Amino acid sequence: MGETITFWVLAVVSVGAALGVVFNRKAVYSALMLGTVMLSLAVLYAVQDAPFLAAVQIIVYTGAIMMLFLFVLMLVGVDSSDSFVETLKGQRFWAAIAALGFVTLIVLAFGNAIFADEVGLAQATAQGGYIRSIALLLFTKYVFAFEITSALLITAALGAMVLAHRERLTEKATQKDLSRARFLGDRPSPLPGPGTYARNNAIDMPALLPDGSVAESSVNRYIARYDVEHGHLPEDPKLAAAIRHRADDEGSESGDAESNAEESNGVTK
Amino acid sequence: MMHLLAADPTLADFGKDPLWITIIKAVMLFVFLMLGVLFGVWFERKLISRMQHRYGPNRAGKFGLLQSVADGLKMGLKEDLFPRTVDKVLYLLAPVIMVVPAFLAFSIVPFAPMVNLFGVQTPLQLVDLPVAVLFMLAMGAVSVYGVVLAGWSSRSPYALLGGLRSAAQVVSYEIAMGLSFVAIFLFAGTLSTSEIVKAQEQTWFAVLLIPSFLIYVVCMFGEAARIPFDLPEGEGELVGGFQTEYSSSLKFALIMMGEYLHTFTASGIAVTLFLGGWRAPWPISLWDGANVGWLPVLWFFIKFVLTFSFIVWVRASLPRVRYDQLMALGWKVLIPVNLAWILLVAAVRNVVINEGDRMIGIGLGAVIVIGALAIWMRFDTVNQRRREARKAQVEAEFEELSKEPVAGGFPVPPLDLPHYHGVQHKEIPSGTN
């Protein structure tokens, strides 16, 4: 009775969630719906007296694999949507064939399970409980399949690493290297901080030097560019000019410092 | 014999309680955890401030005992803010996802052996499964979703970075943590917590399997995201990490509760799997009555509080590590060391206890050790050669720079100023103006 109730409740939940995977517009919601499907499956396993399978389902699929999915989706960006241009030629045809093959496999597997003679849970787990029975099958009868699968997974992981690997041509700069480079450059000291005024206290406000000139290098280039694009310029024409100039600046840090010195002198005059 | 059986519950003793006993146990566990969070916060703040020569909270109630109650009230009464751009559904759901699995994970921790609860003989543990430890790991895996979703739904770079860090950190440390349990499973022959406690009747696994215990202790901090591994929060670099956009309302209270519950679960698992569970410590355990009835709750609680205090102590002592150091420790140290240790444990068990073929065991062991040494020496010589070359290069450069300080060398004052070269040094005797 309890099993039937659980089944019908979870059936509704998991089918609804599976539809949600397909129809949700946001990729992260789709991933979460897939996680829900997996959790429902785990509970169904648990109800069917397979607690080990249930726990492993949650740890491996929900905990590790879905988490990696989510990881990638989060990096893709919030509002990105799929492009619907098909890059693979004839993919629908092959997808249909693959789907047909998959359906056949599932039907055959289910038919096998339904029409085969039942062994019964008690006899199947006679060798000292669920975990021992699974371990026994895994490491005796199916050991070859198990090892082949792990070899496949290792190959896939290795392939991904080879594809993503970038040989480091130069040594990674250590803290010591960076410090030496800074002292050999034009500016051993840190860049000036942004301005703190009575009316503005923000990272996009250039600081004023002691002589009243504007220290352009106190504003980050990207922030300056953002301000110019969105029209967030201060009322003070001197500061606004400095931000605008900073935003146009494409040069390197050292070039910045020089042009900044010239510019600020010009402004003071 | 019957007496011993009654004292040490096994899996067979579970699932026989009437429903009302299960409900009472669940409520007791819930109350224990809620009070634990309230006083755990107070205890941590008090302990850490004593370690730092401060008084800590001492205003609300005697010894500041009601400080967390006051904080909780304040959080409950504050306006529940939704920042404008957040994803409302997930933003609200994330703290809940953090807290619920944390409560569930604690349900497999045994507090005591068979006790008399309102006239019913029952083990003082809410539930036990053949896969209880795996269940705890699974709940840990689910609760990370809360952190990750809190980070993502906040729509803020700091929160997103915190969520990403948390995802990578927990997945990595869960592997090392799961591996550190394997040696225990080998020795206890079961994954059920009550039977693991039973298997520690002679020796605690913390003594028998010291490497596993040490690895677990390190992973515990990573899994519960406590200092030194609290990088998802990382207020030094990420403002508040995944919880940056949660103002101090009830949602924040839930997040905080989830974090404390995770720490409690980590301590509870450490006590159960490694420190003998509810068993009395050594000199007391000689007394037969120490491990019977309600008394073991006391031993469990003492061990639990000591473990929690250790976590607080570490927080007071160690700085936060850098993220790449955290990952390097997890993947390059904890997991390989763990695998080697499991190999050793399995081999020793096979040879000594199961009386497997000694020659095959020793031969295989020798091959593995020699192979590992050969690989290590090969890579060590390569690394050493690289280090030496690098050092020589730096020294040569330093030499060159110190020879010509003015030609773009180190920023030193010019060393050929007139007063360096024997300009008359006028002696001024004391007492003159």
Side-chain angles (χ1 to χ4, degrees), chain B residues 261-275:
Chain B
L261 288 177
H262 280 129
T263 316
F264 288 166
T265 308
S267 320
I269 292 298
V271 170
T272 304
L273 297 193
F274 291 99
L275 301 173

Side-chain angles (χ1 to χ4, degrees), chain B residues 102-296:
Chain B
F103 271 113
L104 290 180
F106 212 86
S107 62
I108 52 130
V109 173
F111 284 77
M114 288 300 206
V115 294
N116 186 345
L117 191 65
F118 300 110
V120 180
Q121 283 289 329
T122 175
L124 199 59
Q125 176 182 1
L126 181 58
V127 64
D128 199 7
L129 305 165
V131 290
V133 180
L134 288 187
F135 175 76
M136 188 277 295
L137 283 177
M139 287 304 112
V142 172
S143 67
V144 197
Y145 273 85
V147 178
V148 172
L149 291 178
W152 183 80
S153 66
S154 293
R155 294 291 202 288
S156 132
Y158 289 128
L160 184 66
L161 283 174
L164 289 176
R165 280 181 169 194
S166 160
Q169 171 179 338
V170 173
V171 168
S172 319
Y173 273 72
E174 203 152 72
I175 296 172
M177 193 169 176
L179 285 176
S180 72
F181 295 152
V182 170
I184 289 181
F185 300 155
L186 285 178
F187 267 81
T190 174
L191 273 67
S192 121
T193 43
S194 63
E195 290 184 3
I196 286 175
V197 172
K198 189 181 167 175
Q200 300 181 66
E201 196 169 354
Q202 299 298 325
T203 330
W204 292 0
F205 284 141
V207 181
L208 199 60
L209 306 167
I210 279 190
S212 289
F213 179 55
L214 295 180
I215 290 171
Y216 174 75
V217 167
V218 176
C219 294
M220 177 167 89
F221 291 99
E223 185 77 7
R226 297 281 304 194
I227 287 178
F229 297 153
D230 74 331
L231 289 138
E233 224 179 293
E235 60 264 37
E237 48 218 90
L238 292 184
V239 185
F242 65 93
Q243 58 194 17
T244 307
E245 304 298 330
Y246 285 90
S247 56
S248 48
S249 62
L250 268 183
K251 296 193 290 293
F252 179 77
L254 278 184
I255 289 181
M256 183 127 166
M257 195 159 85
E259 285 184 346
Y260 270 88
L261 288 177
H262 280 129
T263 316
F264 288 166
T265 308
S267 320
I269 292 298
V271 170
T272 304
L273 297 193
F274 291 99
L275 301 173
W278 40 259
R279 291 189 179 283
W282 171 65
I284 311 173
S285 62
L286 296 176
W287 169 43
D288 278 339
N291 285 329
V292 182
W294 284 90
L295 202 54

